[in-house]
Amino acid sequence: MERIEHHASFKGRQEVWQHASASTGTDMKFGIYLPPQALAGERCPVLYWLSGLTCSEQNFITKAGVQQYAAQHGLIVVAPDTSPRGPGVPDDAAYDLGQGAGFYVNATQQPWAAHYRMQDYVAEELPALIEQHFPATQARGIFGHSMGGHGALVTALRHPGRYRSVSAFAPIAAPAQVPWGQKALTAYLGSDPKVWADWDAAALIAQARAERLPLLIDQGEADEFLPQLRPDLLQAACEKAGHPITLRMQPGYDHSYYFIASFMGEHVAHHAAALRG
């Protein structure tokens, strides 16, 4: 691994690292905030953030304001890139497919299958790397925004016992039922809707019997992408399955990082209660 950025922040340190990924077959980058507790030698829980379409690790670490809350609660926060990148990695001219739009699935279709294995990367390879090289415990939480909110929910639901907490900002909550998700899932996984259900939070809720992590979802009522997000479908699925969910519709807020930063402190506190409780 190579550290390519480091900045003092709230008595901790914001870093960016690059490494060769076995999952994607490419170099990958991730941001990591080490709170002052970690710099002092304490092993800390880890909160993973998954970003949305077109983002890299930079959007979150520079715009969300997470560092002050992570320092307060003593949490390491890790934010990987959203997809493999590079001249040999397949891409698409549209912003919602290809580089910057990995959707956190393990692709099975060509030309994507060789590199687009983001689920393996975020759920297995990256945590193993963090726990080996940084002062991290095995207490993990996961959250994200938009495509990354989808990724956080699906990753937690697909791996019972691996995470102690999960939340999302404006997630693509039922990708199998909206154009964004249908386009990506068809490209990466093929045309069978039964396969899509394994990567759809609203569908996975019905199978979530091994554990029932409470879901915290914030959604802006002025979000221009609300028809693509459909938190109502996730809420209905949770109510039918008896799965705990708190869906907060926030008047006046849109899809931007202004929205994310406004409620970041509450989400970090939600995770800290589970990770340090």
Side-chain angles (χ1 to χ4, degrees):
M1 294 199 306
E2 178 187 6
R3 190 176 71 173
I4 56 178
E5 283 187 42
H6 60 101
H7 312 278
S9 180
F10 292 93
K11 299 184 179 179
R13 191 164 63 235
Q14 178 65 59
E15 302 181 343
V16 177
W17 289 75
Q18 180 171 288
H19 71 105
S21 167
S23 301
T24 67
T26 66
D27 284 345
M28 292 293 294
K29 293 179 182 177
F30 64 87
I32 182 169
Y33 178 71
L34 299 169
Q37 297 88 335
L39 297 186
E42 179 184 337
R43 300 181 70 81
C44 297
V46 186
L47 181 53
Y48 291 87
W49 169 269
L50 304 183
S51 291
L53 289 166
T54 75
C55 291
S56 71
E57 77 288 340
Q58 290 293 324
N59 301 73
F60 176 72
I61 66 176
T62 60
K63 295 180 179 180
V66 72
Q67 291 86 357
Q68 61 179 314
Y69 306 114
Q72 175 186 342
H73 293 287
L75 301 181
I76 294 171
V77 181
V78 176
D81 201 350
T82 52
S83 78
R85 299 182 192 268
V89 177
D91 199 6
D92 190 271
Y95 74 93
D96 54 357
L97 191 67
Q99 295 186 33
F103 266 80
Y104 304 102
V105 303
N106 287 333
T108 59
Q109 305 299 301
Q110 298 303 327
W112 315 103
H115 297 294
Y116 283 75
R117 302 194 61 81
M118 287 299 294
Q119 180 67 190
D120 283 351
Y121 180 71
V122 301
E124 297 179 11
E125 182 178 4
L126 185 58
L129 194 73
I130 297 301
E131 289 160 22
Q132 178 182 357
H133 293 285
F134 297 94
T137 70
Q138 292 185 334
R140 311 177 195 100
I142 190 166
F143 66 154
H145 170 235
S146 195
M147 176 186 72
H150 141 77
L153 295 171
V154 165
T155 302
L157 290 167
R158 286 174 61 93
H159 299 280
R162 188 166 298 181
Y163 301 93
R164 295 187 184 180
S165 57
V166 60
S167 73
F169 294 83
I172 306 173
Q177 301 185 58
V178 299
W180 267 352
Q182 291 167 347
K183 177 181 178 179
L185 296 177
T186 299
Y188 296 139
L189 303 173
S191 58
D192 187 354
K194 294 180 181 178
V195 176
W196 301 350
D198 290 336
W199 302 95
D200 182 298
L204 288 170
I205 283 293
Q207 308 168 27
R209 296 184 177 89
E211 70 176 2
R212 293 181 177 271
L213 290 179
L215 308 184
L216 172 61
I217 311 292
D218 272 304
Q219 172 64 61
E221 288 187 353
D223 191 324
E224 63 271 37
F225 299 116
L226 197 52
Q228 297 268 26
L229 306 174
R230 297 303 303 272
D232 56 303
L233 295 178
L234 179 61
Q235 184 174 41
C238 287
E239 290 175 353
K240 183 177 180 179
H243 194 107
I245 183 172
T246 300
L247 172 60
R248 308 192 303 188
M249 300 298 296
Q250 303 291 2
Y253 286 91
D254 58 19
H255 201 68
S256 71
Y257 266 85
Y258 295 108
F259 159 60
I260 294 169
S262 296
F263 301 100
M264 180 55 61
E266 294 173 41
H267 278 249
V268 174
H270 164 80
H271 290 279
L275 293 172
R276 285 197 169 274

Short mmCIF file of all heavy atoms in Angstrom, two decimals, residues 150-214:
data_model
loop_
_atom_site.label_atom_id
_atom_site.label_comp_id
_atom_site.label_asym_id
_atom_site.label_seq_id
_atom_site.Cartn_x
_atom_site.Cartn_y
_atom_site.Cartn_z
N HIS A 150 -27.69 2.14 -1.43
CA HIS A 150 -28.04 0.80 -1.90
C HIS A 150 -26.95 -0.19 -1.51
O HIS A 150 -27.22 -1.27 -0.96
CB HIS A 150 -28.24 0.82 -3.42
CG HIS A 150 -27.73 -0.38 -4.14
ND1 HIS A 150 -28.40 -1.59 -4.16
CD2 HIS A 150 -26.59 -0.55 -4.87
CE1 HIS A 150 -27.69 -2.46 -4.88
NE2 HIS A 150 -26.61 -1.85 -5.32
N GLY A 151 -25.70 0.18 -1.79
CA GLY A 151 -24.59 -0.72 -1.48
C GLY A 151 -24.49 -1.06 -0.01
O GLY A 151 -24.24 -2.20 0.36
N ALA A 152 -24.68 -0.07 0.84
CA ALA A 152 -24.58 -0.30 2.29
C ALA A 152 -25.69 -1.23 2.77
O ALA A 152 -25.43 -2.18 3.53
CB ALA A 152 -24.65 1.03 3.03
N LEU A 153 -26.92 -0.97 2.34
CA LEU A 153 -28.03 -1.81 2.77
C LEU A 153 -27.86 -3.24 2.28
O LEU A 153 -28.01 -4.21 3.05
CB LEU A 153 -29.35 -1.23 2.25
CG LEU A 153 -29.77 0.13 2.79
CD1 LEU A 153 -30.97 0.66 2.02
CD2 LEU A 153 -30.07 0.07 4.28
N VAL A 154 -27.53 -3.40 1.01
CA VAL A 154 -27.38 -4.73 0.43
C VAL A 154 -26.21 -5.48 1.07
O VAL A 154 -26.32 -6.68 1.38
CB VAL A 154 -27.21 -4.63 -1.10
CG1 VAL A 154 -26.69 -5.93 -1.69
CG2 VAL A 154 -28.54 -4.25 -1.75
N THR A 155 -25.11 -4.79 1.28
CA THR A 155 -23.94 -5.45 1.87
C THR A 155 -24.25 -5.94 3.28
O THR A 155 -23.90 -7.07 3.64
CB THR A 155 -22.73 -4.50 1.88
OG1 THR A 155 -22.46 -4.09 0.53
CG2 THR A 155 -21.51 -5.16 2.45
N ALA A 156 -24.91 -5.12 4.08
CA ALA A 156 -25.27 -5.55 5.43
C ALA A 156 -26.25 -6.72 5.40
O ALA A 156 -26.11 -7.68 6.18
CB ALA A 156 -25.86 -4.38 6.21
N LEU A 157 -27.23 -6.66 4.51
CA LEU A 157 -28.25 -7.71 4.46
C LEU A 157 -27.68 -9.01 3.91
O LEU A 157 -28.13 -10.10 4.31
CB LEU A 157 -29.43 -7.24 3.60
CG LEU A 157 -30.29 -6.14 4.21
CD1 LEU A 157 -31.21 -5.53 3.15
CD2 LEU A 157 -31.11 -6.68 5.38
N ARG A 158 -26.71 -8.93 3.03
CA ARG A 158 -26.12 -10.15 2.44
C ARG A 158 -25.11 -10.82 3.37
O ARG A 158 -24.73 -11.97 3.14
CB ARG A 158 -25.43 -9.81 1.12
CG ARG A 158 -26.38 -9.53 -0.04
CD ARG A 158 -25.61 -9.07 -1.27
NE ARG A 158 -24.66 -10.09 -1.72
CZ ARG A 158 -24.94 -11.02 -2.65
NH1 ARG A 158 -26.15 -11.07 -3.19
NH2 ARG A 158 -24.01 -11.89 -3.01
N HIS A 159 -24.68 -10.11 4.40
CA HIS A 159 -23.63 -10.64 5.28
C HIS A 159 -24.05 -10.53 6.75
O HIS A 159 -23.45 -9.76 7.51
CB HIS A 159 -22.32 -9.89 5.05
CG HIS A 159 -21.79 -10.01 3.65
ND1 HIS A 159 -21.09 -11.11 3.21
CD2 HIS A 159 -21.88 -9.17 2.60
CE1 HIS A 159 -20.74 -10.94 1.95
NE2 HIS A 159 -21.21 -9.77 1.56
N PRO A 160 -25.06 -11.27 7.17
CA PRO A 160 -25.49 -11.18 8.57
C PRO A 160 -24.34 -11.52 9.52
O PRO A 160 -23.57 -12.45 9.27
CB PRO A 160 -26.62 -12.20 8.66
CG PRO A 160 -26.46 -13.09 7.47
CD PRO A 160 -25.85 -12.25 6.40
N GLY A 161 -24.23 -10.73 10.58
CA GLY A 161 -23.18 -10.93 11.56
C GLY A 161 -21.91 -10.17 11.29
O GLY A 161 -21.05 -10.06 12.18
N ARG A 162 -21.76 -9.61 10.10
CA ARG A 162 -20.51 -8.92 9.76
C ARG A 162 -20.52 -7.46 10.21
O ARG A 162 -19.48 -6.88 10.48
CB ARG A 162 -20.26 -9.01 8.26
CG ARG A 162 -18.89 -8.49 7.84
CD ARG A 162 -18.55 -8.90 6.42
NE ARG A 162 -18.48 -10.35 6.29
CZ ARG A 162 -18.17 -10.98 5.16
NH1 ARG A 162 -17.89 -10.28 4.08
NH2 ARG A 162 -18.13 -12.29 5.12
N TYR A 163 -21.71 -6.86 10.28
CA TYR A 163 -21.83 -5.45 10.66
C TYR A 163 -22.74 -5.32 11.87
O TYR A 163 -23.70 -6.07 12.02
CB TYR A 163 -22.39 -4.62 9.49
CG TYR A 163 -21.52 -4.70 8.25
CD1 TYR A 163 -21.79 -5.66 7.27
CD2 TYR A 163 -20.43 -3.86 8.08
CE1 TYR A 163 -20.99 -5.76 6.14
CE2 TYR A 163 -19.63 -3.95 6.96
CZ TYR A 163 -19.91 -4.92 5.99
OH TYR A 163 -19.11 -5.02 4.88
N ARG A 164 -22.44 -4.33 12.70
CA ARG A 164 -23.28 -4.08 13.88
C ARG A 164 -24.29 -2.97 13.65
O ARG A 164 -25.19 -2.79 14.49
CB ARG A 164 -22.38 -3.72 15.07
CG ARG A 164 -21.46 -4.85 15.52
CD ARG A 164 -20.74 -4.48 16.80
NE ARG A 164 -19.78 -5.51 17.19
CZ ARG A 164 -19.02 -5.44 18.28
NH1 ARG A 164 -19.12 -4.38 19.09
NH2 ARG A 164 -18.17 -6.40 18.55
N SER A 165 -24.14 -2.22 12.55
CA SER A 165 -25.04 -1.10 12.31
C SER A 165 -25.04 -0.78 10.83
O SER A 165 -24.08 -1.05 10.10
CB SER A 165 -24.60 0.13 13.12
OG SER A 165 -23.25 0.48 12.80
N VAL A 166 -26.15 -0.16 10.38
CA VAL A 166 -26.29 0.22 8.98
C VAL A 166 -27.22 1.42 8.88
O VAL A 166 -28.17 1.55 9.65
CB VAL A 166 -26.82 -0.97 8.13
CG1 VAL A 166 -28.19 -1.44 8.61
CG2 VAL A 166 -26.88 -0.61 6.65
N SER A 167 -26.92 2.33 7.96
CA SER A 167 -27.80 3.46 7.69
C SER A 167 -27.56 3.93 6.27
O SER A 167 -26.61 3.49 5.61
CB SER A 167 -27.59 4.60 8.70
OG SER A 167 -26.37 5.28 8.46
N ALA A 168 -28.42 4.84 5.80
CA ALA A 168 -28.27 5.32 4.43
C ALA A 168 -28.90 6.70 4.26
O ALA A 168 -29.89 7.03 4.92
CB ALA A 168 -28.91 4.34 3.45
N PHE A 169 -28.31 7.47 3.35
CA PHE A 169 -28.87 8.73 2.89
C PHE A 169 -29.41 8.52 1.47
O PHE A 169 -28.65 8.12 0.57
CB PHE A 169 -27.79 9.81 2.84
CG PHE A 169 -27.23 10.22 4.17
CD1 PHE A 169 -26.21 9.49 4.77
CD2 PHE A 169 -27.69 11.37 4.81
CE1 PHE A 169 -25.67 9.88 5.98
CE2 PHE A 169 -27.15 11.76 6.03
CZ PHE A 169 -26.15 11.02 6.62
N ALA A 170 -30.68 8.76 1.27
CA ALA A 170 -31.30 8.71 -0.06
C ALA A 170 -30.85 7.50 -0.87
O ALA A 170 -30.36 7.62 -1.99
CB ALA A 170 -30.98 10.00 -0.83
N PRO A 171 -31.01 6.29 -0.31
CA PRO A 171 -30.54 5.11 -1.04
C PRO A 171 -31.42 4.76 -2.24
O PRO A 171 -32.62 5.08 -2.25
CB PRO A 171 -30.64 4.01 0.02
CG PRO A 171 -31.78 4.44 0.88
CD PRO A 171 -31.66 5.94 0.96
N ILE A 172 -30.84 4.12 -3.24
CA ILE A 172 -31.63 3.46 -4.28
C ILE A 172 -32.17 2.20 -3.61
O ILE A 172 -31.51 1.17 -3.54
CB ILE A 172 -30.79 3.13 -5.51
CG1 ILE A 172 -30.09 4.38 -6.04
CG2 ILE A 172 -31.67 2.52 -6.61
CD1 ILE A 172 -29.11 4.10 -7.18
N ALA A 173 -33.36 2.30 -3.05
CA ALA A 173 -33.84 1.31 -2.08
C ALA A 173 -34.41 0.05 -2.72
O ALA A 173 -34.46 -0.99 -2.08
CB ALA A 173 -34.91 1.96 -1.19
N ALA A 174 -34.84 0.17 -3.97
CA ALA A 174 -35.43 -0.98 -4.68
C ALA A 174 -34.93 -0.98 -6.12
O ALA A 174 -35.71 -0.76 -7.06
CB ALA A 174 -36.95 -0.92 -4.61
N PRO A 175 -33.64 -1.21 -6.34
CA PRO A 175 -33.07 -1.03 -7.68
C PRO A 175 -33.71 -1.89 -8.76
O PRO A 175 -33.74 -1.49 -9.93
CB PRO A 175 -31.59 -1.38 -7.49
CG PRO A 175 -31.53 -2.15 -6.22
CD PRO A 175 -32.62 -1.61 -5.36
N ALA A 176 -34.24 -3.05 -8.40
CA ALA A 176 -34.87 -3.91 -9.40
C ALA A 176 -36.16 -3.31 -9.95
O ALA A 176 -36.68 -3.78 -10.97
CB ALA A 176 -35.16 -5.29 -8.80
N GLN A 177 -36.66 -2.24 -9.32
CA GLN A 177 -37.94 -1.66 -9.73
C GLN A 177 -37.81 -0.23 -10.27
O GLN A 177 -38.84 0.42 -10.49
CB GLN A 177 -38.91 -1.67 -8.54
CG GLN A 177 -39.18 -3.07 -7.99
CD GLN A 177 -40.23 -3.06 -6.90
OE1 GLN A 177 -41.36 -2.62 -7.10
NE2 GLN A 177 -39.85 -3.54 -5.71
N VAL A 178 -36.58 0.25 -10.49
CA VAL A 178 -36.40 1.62 -10.99
C VAL A 178 -35.39 1.62 -12.13
O VAL A 178 -34.53 0.74 -12.22
CB VAL A 178 -35.95 2.57 -9.87
CG1 VAL A 178 -36.99 2.63 -8.75
CG2 VAL A 178 -34.58 2.16 -9.31
N PRO A 179 -35.46 2.62 -13.03
CA PRO A 179 -34.58 2.61 -14.22
C PRO A 179 -33.10 2.57 -13.92
O PRO A 179 -32.35 1.86 -14.60
CB PRO A 179 -34.99 3.92 -14.93
CG PRO A 179 -36.41 4.13 -14.54
CD PRO A 179 -36.50 3.66 -13.11
N TRP A 180 -32.61 3.36 -12.95
CA TRP A 180 -31.18 3.31 -12.62
C TRP A 180 -30.74 1.89 -12.32
O TRP A 180 -29.76 1.40 -12.86
CB TRP A 180 -30.90 4.17 -11.39
CG TRP A 180 -30.50 5.59 -11.66
CD1 TRP A 180 -30.21 6.15 -12.87
CD2 TRP A 180 -30.34 6.62 -10.68
NE1 TRP A 180 -29.89 7.47 -12.71
CE2 TRP A 180 -29.96 7.79 -11.39
CE3 TRP A 180 -30.47 6.67 -9.30
CZ2 TRP A 180 -29.71 8.98 -10.74
CZ3 TRP A 180 -30.24 7.88 -8.65
CH2 TRP A 180 -29.86 9.02 -9.36
N GLY A 181 -31.47 1.25 -11.42
CA GLY A 181 -31.10 -0.09 -11.00
C GLY A 181 -31.26 -1.11 -12.11
O GLY A 181 -30.38 -1.97 -12.31
N GLN A 182 -32.35 -1.05 -12.83
CA GLN A 182 -32.59 -2.01 -13.91
C GLN A 182 -31.50 -1.95 -14.97
O GLN A 182 -31.05 -2.99 -15.47
CB GLN A 182 -33.97 -1.77 -14.51
CG GLN A 182 -35.10 -2.12 -13.56
CD GLN A 182 -36.45 -1.59 -14.04
OE1 GLN A 182 -36.52 -0.77 -14.95
NE2 GLN A 182 -37.52 -2.07 -13.42
N LYS A 183 -31.07 -0.75 -15.30
CA LYS A 183 -30.00 -0.59 -16.29
C LYS A 183 -28.70 -1.23 -15.80
O LYS A 183 -28.06 -2.02 -16.51
CB LYS A 183 -29.77 0.88 -16.59
CG LYS A 183 -28.62 1.15 -17.55
CD LYS A 183 -28.44 2.64 -17.79
CE LYS A 183 -27.25 2.90 -18.73
NZ LYS A 183 -27.09 4.36 -19.00
N ALA A 184 -28.31 -0.90 -14.57
CA ALA A 184 -27.04 -1.41 -14.04
C ALA A 184 -27.09 -2.92 -13.79
O ALA A 184 -26.15 -3.64 -14.13
CB ALA A 184 -26.68 -0.68 -12.75
N LEU A 185 -28.18 -3.40 -13.21
CA LEU A 185 -28.28 -4.82 -12.89
C LEU A 185 -28.32 -5.67 -14.16
O LEU A 185 -27.75 -6.76 -14.19
CB LEU A 185 -29.50 -5.07 -12.02
CG LEU A 185 -29.48 -4.40 -10.63
CD1 LEU A 185 -30.78 -4.66 -9.89
CD2 LEU A 185 -28.29 -4.85 -9.81
N THR A 186 -28.98 -5.17 -15.20
CA THR A 186 -28.99 -5.90 -16.47
C THR A 186 -27.58 -5.97 -17.05
O THR A 186 -27.13 -7.04 -17.50
CB THR A 186 -29.93 -5.21 -17.48
OG1 THR A 186 -31.25 -5.22 -16.97
CG2 THR A 186 -29.91 -5.94 -18.82
N ALA A 187 -26.87 -4.85 -17.05
CA ALA A 187 -25.52 -4.83 -17.61
C ALA A 187 -24.56 -5.72 -16.83
O ALA A 187 -23.81 -6.50 -17.43
CB ALA A 187 -25.00 -3.39 -17.64
N TYR A 188 -24.60 -5.63 -15.52
CA TYR A 188 -23.62 -6.34 -14.70
C TYR A 188 -24.00 -7.79 -14.42
O TYR A 188 -23.12 -8.65 -14.27
CB TYR A 188 -23.43 -5.61 -13.36
CG TYR A 188 -22.84 -4.23 -13.47
CD1 TYR A 188 -23.32 -3.18 -12.68
CD2 TYR A 188 -21.80 -3.95 -14.36
CE1 TYR A 188 -22.79 -1.91 -12.76
CE2 TYR A 188 -21.26 -2.68 -14.45
CZ TYR A 188 -21.76 -1.66 -13.65
OH TYR A 188 -21.23 -0.40 -13.74
N LEU A 189 -25.30 -8.08 -14.34
CA LEU A 189 -25.75 -9.40 -13.85
C LEU A 189 -26.60 -10.17 -14.85
O LEU A 189 -26.89 -11.35 -14.61
CB LEU A 189 -26.56 -9.22 -12.56
CG LEU A 189 -25.86 -8.50 -11.41
CD1 LEU A 189 -26.83 -8.25 -10.28
CD2 LEU A 189 -24.65 -9.29 -10.93
N GLY A 190 -27.01 -9.54 -15.95
CA GLY A 190 -27.88 -10.21 -16.90
C GLY A 190 -29.33 -9.80 -16.73
O GLY A 190 -29.67 -8.97 -15.89
N SER A 191 -30.20 -10.42 -17.50
CA SER A 191 -31.59 -9.96 -17.61
C SER A 191 -32.58 -10.69 -16.71
O SER A 191 -33.78 -10.42 -16.78
CB SER A 191 -32.05 -10.11 -19.06
OG SER A 191 -31.94 -11.46 -19.49
N ASP A 192 -32.12 -11.58 -15.85
CA ASP A 192 -33.02 -12.36 -15.00
C ASP A 192 -33.38 -11.58 -13.73
O ASP A 192 -32.52 -11.39 -12.86
CB ASP A 192 -32.38 -13.69 -14.63
CG ASP A 192 -33.33 -14.63 -13.89
OD1 ASP A 192 -34.46 -14.20 -13.55
OD2 ASP A 192 -32.94 -15.78 -13.64
N PRO A 193 -34.63 -11.15 -13.56
CA PRO A 193 -35.01 -10.42 -12.34
C PRO A 193 -34.81 -11.22 -11.06
O PRO A 193 -34.65 -10.63 -9.98
CB PRO A 193 -36.49 -10.10 -12.57
CG PRO A 193 -36.67 -10.14 -14.05
CD PRO A 193 -35.74 -11.21 -14.53
N LYS A 194 -34.82 -12.54 -11.13
CA LYS A 194 -34.58 -13.34 -9.94
C LYS A 194 -33.16 -13.13 -9.42
O LYS A 194 -32.92 -13.19 -8.21
CB LYS A 194 -34.84 -14.81 -10.24
CG LYS A 194 -36.30 -15.15 -10.54
CD LYS A 194 -36.47 -16.63 -10.83
CE LYS A 194 -37.93 -16.95 -11.16
NZ LYS A 194 -38.11 -18.38 -11.50
N VAL A 195 -32.23 -12.92 -10.33
CA VAL A 195 -30.85 -12.63 -9.93
C VAL A 195 -30.77 -11.23 -9.34
O VAL A 195 -30.06 -10.99 -8.35
CB VAL A 195 -29.90 -12.78 -11.13
CG1 VAL A 195 -28.47 -12.38 -10.76
CG2 VAL A 195 -29.92 -14.22 -11.65
N TRP A 196 -31.50 -10.29 -9.91
CA TRP A 196 -31.48 -8.92 -9.38
C TRP A 196 -31.93 -8.88 -7.92
O TRP A 196 -31.44 -8.08 -7.14
CB TRP A 196 -32.42 -8.03 -10.18
CG TRP A 196 -32.14 -7.89 -11.63
CD1 TRP A 196 -31.02 -8.35 -12.31
CD2 TRP A 196 -32.97 -7.27 -12.60
NE1 TRP A 196 -31.13 -8.04 -13.64
CE2 TRP A 196 -32.32 -7.38 -13.85
CE3 TRP A 196 -34.21 -6.63 -12.54
CZ2 TRP A 196 -32.86 -6.87 -15.03
CZ3 TRP A 196 -34.76 -6.12 -13.70
CH2 TRP A 196 -34.10 -6.23 -14.93
N ALA A 197 -32.87 -9.75 -7.55
CA ALA A 197 -33.42 -9.72 -6.19
C ALA A 197 -32.36 -9.92 -5.13
O ALA A 197 -32.50 -9.45 -4.00
CB ALA A 197 -34.51 -10.78 -6.06
N ASP A 198 -31.27 -10.60 -5.48
CA ASP A 198 -30.18 -10.81 -4.52
C ASP A 198 -29.38 -9.54 -4.26
O ASP A 198 -28.51 -9.53 -3.39
CB ASP A 198 -29.23 -11.90 -5.03
CG ASP A 198 -29.86 -13.28 -5.00
OD1 ASP A 198 -30.80 -13.51 -4.21
OD2 ASP A 198 -29.41 -14.15 -5.78
N TRP A 199 -29.66 -8.48 -5.03
CA TRP A 199 -28.94 -7.21 -4.90
C TRP A 199 -29.91 -6.05 -4.70
O TRP A 199 -29.59 -4.90 -5.01
CB TRP A 199 -28.07 -6.98 -6.14
CG TRP A 199 -27.10 -8.08 -6.36
CD1 TRP A 199 -27.26 -9.18 -7.17
CD2 TRP A 199 -25.81 -8.23 -5.77
NE1 TRP A 199 -26.15 -9.99 -7.10
CE2 TRP A 199 -25.24 -9.43 -6.26
CE3 TRP A 199 -25.07 -7.45 -4.87
CZ2 TRP A 199 -23.98 -9.87 -5.87
CZ3 TRP A 199 -23.81 -7.89 -4.50
CH2 TRP A 199 -23.28 -9.08 -5.00
N ASP A 200 -31.07 -6.34 -4.16
CA ASP A 200 -32.13 -5.35 -3.99
C ASP A 200 -32.54 -5.34 -2.51
O ASP A 200 -33.02 -6.35 -2.00
CB ASP A 200 -33.32 -5.75 -4.88
CG ASP A 200 -34.46 -4.76 -4.82
OD1 ASP A 200 -35.04 -4.59 -3.73
OD2 ASP A 200 -34.81 -4.18 -5.86
N ALA A 201 -32.34 -4.21 -1.84
CA ALA A 201 -32.60 -4.16 -0.39
C ALA A 201 -34.05 -4.48 -0.06
O ALA A 201 -34.34 -5.21 0.89
CB ALA A 201 -32.21 -2.79 0.15
N ALA A 202 -34.98 -3.93 -0.84
CA ALA A 202 -36.39 -4.17 -0.57
C ALA A 202 -36.74 -5.65 -0.70
O ALA A 202 -37.58 -6.17 0.05
CB ALA A 202 -37.27 -3.34 -1.50
N ALA A 203 -36.09 -6.34 -1.62
CA ALA A 203 -36.32 -7.78 -1.78
C ALA A 203 -35.61 -8.59 -0.71
O ALA A 203 -36.15 -9.58 -0.20
CB ALA A 203 -35.86 -8.23 -3.17
N LEU A 204 -34.41 -8.18 -0.32
CA LEU A 204 -33.63 -8.93 0.66
C LEU A 204 -34.23 -8.86 2.06
O LEU A 204 -34.01 -9.77 2.88
CB LEU A 204 -32.20 -8.41 0.71
CG LEU A 204 -31.31 -8.76 -0.50
CD1 LEU A 204 -30.01 -7.99 -0.44
CD2 LEU A 204 -31.04 -10.26 -0.56
N ILE A 205 -34.98 -7.80 2.35
CA ILE A 205 -35.57 -7.64 3.68
C ILE A 205 -36.43 -8.86 4.04
O ILE A 205 -36.45 -9.32 5.19
CB ILE A 205 -36.41 -6.35 3.75
CG1 ILE A 205 -35.49 -5.13 3.90
CG2 ILE A 205 -37.41 -6.38 4.89
CD1 ILE A 205 -34.74 -5.06 5.22
N ALA A 206 -37.13 -9.40 3.07
CA ALA A 206 -38.01 -10.55 3.33
C ALA A 206 -37.23 -11.77 3.79
O ALA A 206 -37.78 -12.65 4.46
CB ALA A 206 -38.81 -10.88 2.08
N GLN A 207 -35.92 -11.83 3.46
CA GLN A 207 -35.09 -12.97 3.82
C GLN A 207 -34.25 -12.71 5.06
O GLN A 207 -33.51 -13.60 5.50
CB GLN A 207 -34.16 -13.32 2.65
CG GLN A 207 -34.86 -13.48 1.32
CD GLN A 207 -33.87 -13.54 0.17
OE1 GLN A 207 -32.72 -13.94 0.33
NE2 GLN A 207 -34.31 -13.11 -1.02
N ALA A 208 -34.33 -11.51 5.63
CA ALA A 208 -33.41 -11.11 6.70
C ALA A 208 -33.88 -11.63 8.05
O ALA A 208 -34.29 -10.88 8.93
CB ALA A 208 -33.29 -9.58 6.74
N ARG A 209 -33.82 -12.93 8.21
CA ARG A 209 -34.27 -13.54 9.45
C ARG A 209 -33.12 -13.84 10.41
O ARG A 209 -33.33 -14.01 11.60
CB ARG A 209 -35.05 -14.83 9.14
CG ARG A 209 -36.32 -14.58 8.34
CD ARG A 209 -37.12 -15.85 8.12
NE ARG A 209 -38.37 -15.57 7.42
CZ ARG A 209 -38.51 -15.56 6.11
NH1 ARG A 209 -37.46 -15.83 5.35
NH2 ARG A 209 -39.68 -15.30 5.54
N ALA A 210 -31.90 -13.92 9.88
CA ALA A 210 -30.76 -14.24 10.73
C ALA A 210 -30.46 -13.10 11.70
O ALA A 210 -30.04 -13.34 12.83
CB ALA A 210 -29.53 -14.53 9.87
N GLU A 211 -30.66 -11.88 11.27
CA GLU A 211 -30.51 -10.72 12.14
C GLU A 211 -31.39 -9.60 11.61
O GLU A 211 -31.77 -9.59 10.43
CB GLU A 211 -29.05 -10.26 12.23
CG GLU A 211 -28.52 -9.63 10.95
CD GLU A 211 -27.10 -9.11 11.10
OE1 GLU A 211 -26.49 -9.26 12.17
OE2 GLU A 211 -26.59 -8.53 10.12
N ARG A 212 -31.73 -8.67 12.46
CA ARG A 212 -32.59 -7.56 12.06
C ARG A 212 -31.96 -6.25 12.52
O ARG A 212 -32.42 -5.63 13.47
CB ARG A 212 -34.00 -7.74 12.63
CG ARG A 212 -34.73 -8.94 12.02
CD ARG A 212 -36.13 -9.09 12.59
NE ARG A 212 -36.85 -10.19 11.96
CZ ARG A 212 -37.60 -10.09 10.87
NH1 ARG A 212 -37.71 -8.92 10.27
NH2 ARG A 212 -38.21 -11.14 10.37
N LEU A 213 -30.89 -5.85 11.83
CA LEU A 213 -30.26 -4.59 12.17
C LEU A 213 -31.24 -3.45 11.90
O LEU A 213 -31.80 -3.36 10.80
CB LEU A 213 -29.01 -4.37 11.31
CG LEU A 213 -27.79 -5.25 11.57
CD1 LEU A 213 -26.67 -4.87 10.61
CD2 LEU A 213 -27.32 -5.11 13.02
N PRO A 214 -31.46 -2.57 12.86
CA PRO A 214 -32.36 -1.43 12.61
C PRO A 214 -31.80 -0.55 11.49
O PRO A 214 -30.62 -0.23 11.46
CB PRO A 214 -32.35 -0.69 13.95
CG PRO A 214 -31.92 -1.70 14.96
CD PRO A 214 -30.97 -2.61 14.25
#
